[in-house]
């Protein structure tokens, strides 16, 4: 199956999912498969509407972060929180500021939003 792609500033991006209905301070998981490579990640939409994408891997142990399939955030929606040991991360940078991996970062992906669809950078795969 062919994956939808876009080119932005000379770089290739792969379609990862719809985000037209992703509210601010909400999260959504995605999975992109290209050839033998599979990338599991999630989107978060910040309070100002900006969209961010991170790999679903906690810098503490590499475990998936989410509580339930699309739930990666604290109950307030203000921070990303790992479901295993509770580390907390800033939405806009992925920096851990509380918990066992304090000072480390989630692996950010470049993301492009076009007409309600989100595409992640090919270099992430
Ligand atoms: S695995 Fe995420 S805080 Fe320990």
């Amino acid at each position: 199956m062919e994956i939808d792609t876009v080119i932005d500033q000379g770089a290739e991006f792969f379609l990862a999912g719809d985000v037209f209905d992703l509210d601010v301070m909400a999260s959504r998981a995605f999975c992109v498969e290209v050839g033998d490579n599979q990338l599991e990640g999630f989107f978060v939409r910040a309070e100002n509407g900006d969209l961010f994408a991170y790999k679903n891997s906690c810098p503490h142990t590499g475990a998936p972060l989410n509580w339930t399939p699309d739930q990666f955030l604290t109950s307030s929606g203000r921070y990303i929180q790992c479901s295993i040991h509770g580390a907390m991360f800033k939405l806009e940078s992925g920096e851990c500021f509380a918990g066992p991996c304090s000072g480390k970062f989630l692996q950010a992906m470049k993301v492009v939003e076009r007409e309600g669809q989100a595409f992640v950078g090919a270099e992430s795969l």
Side-chain angles (χ1 to χ4, degrees), residues 28-51:
R28 178 170 295 161
F30 66 81
C31 181
V32 179
E33 289 182 39
V34 179
D36 293 335
N37 296 323
Q38 178 174 302
L39 173 64
E40 294 196 22
F42 62 100
F43 299 116
V44 294
R45 195 177 292 285
E47 203 166 5
N48 68 358
D50 286 350
L51 186 69

Side-chain angles (χ1 to χ4, degrees), residues 14-25:
F14 293 108
L15 178 62
D18 289 329
V19 291
F20 64 89
D21 59 348
L22 184 62
D23 290 332
V24 296
M25 298 164 79

Side-chain angles (χ1 to χ4, degrees), residues 1-116:
M1 188 179 80
E2 197 161 306
I3 307 285
D4 284 340
T5 61
V6 296
I7 303 295
D8 186 82
Q9 297 181 5
E12 186 175 27
F13 290 76
F14 293 108
L15 178 62
D18 289 329
V19 291
F20 64 89
D21 59 348
L22 184 62
D23 290 332
V24 296
M25 298 164 79
S27 58
R28 178 170 295 161
F30 66 81
C31 181
V32 179
E33 289 182 39
V34 179
D36 293 335
N37 296 323
Q38 178 174 302
L39 173 64
E40 294 196 22
F42 62 100
F43 299 116
V44 294
R45 195 177 292 285
E47 203 166 5
N48 68 358
D50 286 350
L51 186 69
F52 295 90
Y54 296 101
K55 290 186 181 175
N56 187 7
S57 176
C58 182
H60 182 211
T61 68
L65 294 146
N66 42 323
W67 302 82
T68 59
D70 287 323
Q71 183 53 42
F72 293 80
L73 306 182
T74 56
S75 56
S76 69
R78 210 161 268 293
Y79 303 108
I80 298 160
Q81 186 169 35
C82 178
S83 64
I84 309 290
H85 305 113
M88 295 209 286
F89 307 84
K90 297 175 184 173
L91 292 189
E92 295 84 357
S93 66
E95 180 185 7
C96 179
F97 63 93
C101 44
S102 195
K104 295 188 175 171
F105 286 80
L106 297 174
Q107 297 172 67
M109 286 177 258
K110 290 182 181 169
V111 60
V112 171
E113 191 171 357
R114 296 264 174 87
E115 297 175 6

